[in-house]
Amino acid sequence: MCIGIPMLVETVDGFVAECSADGQRQTVDIALVQDCAPGDWLLVFLGAARHRLDPEEARLIREALGALAAAMTGRQDDSAFADLIGREPELPPHLREAHAAGRMEA
């Protein structure tokens, strides 16, 4: 499985950019992302940018990845899952209908 990492563009030179995330720098192939500029956030998979992110999207993904890393090391950070505390998770609307009609199990 490949996980996309939000990275901030520092410099651009042709089809590559120097990007950073959490103190790490990486040279990233930006051939699939048009008009990339310093200050842009990119979703990077295995050294290649696949999608430009707005800053809010980048923040949310970074927080989710941080929560995942914490969970994998046994640390619990309830603030990362504040929307789930005190309630049962819900199915998305398109699956609720299938569940109600008995076409899927809970």
Side-chain angles (χ1 to χ4, degrees):
M1 175 172 51
C2 179
I3 295 177
I5 306 296
M7 299 196 81
L8 183 64
V9 176
E10 303 289 341
T11 62
V12 175
D13 183 15
F15 291 108
V16 297
E18 287 297 318
C19 299
S20 63
D22 301 321
Q24 301 293 318
R25 292 183 63 88
Q26 181 177 349
T27 301
V28 174
D29 180 336
I30 58 171
L32 298 176
V33 181
Q34 296 178 346
D35 302 323
C36 181
D40 286 346
W41 282 96
L42 302 174
L43 191 58
V44 177
F45 293 84
L46 300 173
R50 301 283 165 65
H51 178 72
R52 184 176 294 119
L53 301 168
D54 67 46
E56 179 65 7
E57 284 178 301
R59 183 186 68 78
L60 290 172
I61 295 168
R62 293 178 75 219
E63 285 178 1
L65 292 173
L68 177 62
M72 291 177 68
T73 60
R75 295 185 320 240
Q76 183 174 349
D77 179 7
D78 288 344
S79 67
F81 305 102
D83 60 326
L84 297 177
I85 294 175
R87 71 173 181 86
E88 289 293 317
E90 297 177 12
L91 290 172
H94 68 284
L95 294 179
R96 282 185 218 144
E97 294 171 18
H99 185 309
R103 295 190 306 258
M104 67 179 281
E105 292 182 28

